[in-house]
Amino acid sequence: GIQVEQSPPDLILQEGANSTLRCNFSDSVNNLQWFHQNPWGQLINLFYIPSGTKQNGRLSATTVATERYSLLYISSSQTTDSGVYFCAVEQGTYKYIFGTGTRLKVLA
Amino acid sequence: GAGVSQSPSNKVTEKGKDVELRCDPISGHTALYWYRQSLGQGLEFLIYFQGNSAPDKSGLPSDRFSAERTGGSVSTLTIQRTQQEDSAVYLCASSLEYSQRLFFGSGTQLSVL
């Protein structure tokens, strides 16, 4: 089956810093989404981004489907950005396969 | 409803007992998903419903697991004869249609003693 790898696995930032999270997938996909799981376990949908670039406030995402990767940019990080970031891909088989996750900690 | 609702939020049970977990999707969402997340791990796909039909049940870990959806709305995940390895957070998500943006509930933390 498809492999979905995220990097880095862990990231520690000082408040105000910028970061880039990467999601690589081993096969072509129809759809891709990014999620933030906060420290209380709630998963929040950040982007639905099968291709192209989208921005939402301090967050933006780019998916290059032909090269099988997606990037999530976080600018001017805040402590509330802490948690785990997951990408999830779908290949036309109904199920979204989740990546390995990036655990982010933002220090005040 | 305003969001995906799951109940109970926590369930502690004894090994060998049966449990039922409930999911109320966002009103009007036709697609519904169940995932499982073990402590500190990623999300494992269990089953997907389009309306009341489950085209793919291959993610269910064993025949002790079953799920149904009625009226194109509420879904129930049932685990029979629970085992300690079933301990995890069970997450439900819904989307307007197949493969659209997923919205997750806050999950059911299942602990099997």
Side-chain angles (χ1 to χ4, degrees), chain A residues 5-81:
Chain A
E5 298 287 334
Q6 292 184 241
S7 60
D10 295 279
L11 185 59
I12 300 176
L13 297 175
Q14 209 58 45
E15 199 168 28
N18 303 329
S19 62
T20 301
L21 281 57
R22 187 176 180 103
C23 171
N24 288 336
F25 37 97
S26 60
D27 202 352
S28 59
V29 299
N30 289 357
N31 290 291
L32 186 146
Q33 304 191 33
W34 281 97
F35 296 88
H36 174 218
Q37 188 168 39
N38 67 24
W40 297 272
Q42 179 67 50
L43 275 156
I44 306 297
N45 191 300
L46 298 176
F47 293 102
Y48 173 82
I49 185 164
S51 63
T53 297
K54 290 186 177 180
Q55 180 152 10
N56 185 0
R58 296 181 296 104
L59 303 181
S60 64
T62 296
T63 296
V64 185
T66 53
E67 296 188 20
R68 300 181 184 171
Y69 74 90
S70 183
L71 302 174
L72 178 69
Y73 305 95
I74 305 174
S75 64
S76 304
S77 58
Q78 300 176 358
T79 56
T80 52
D81 295 332

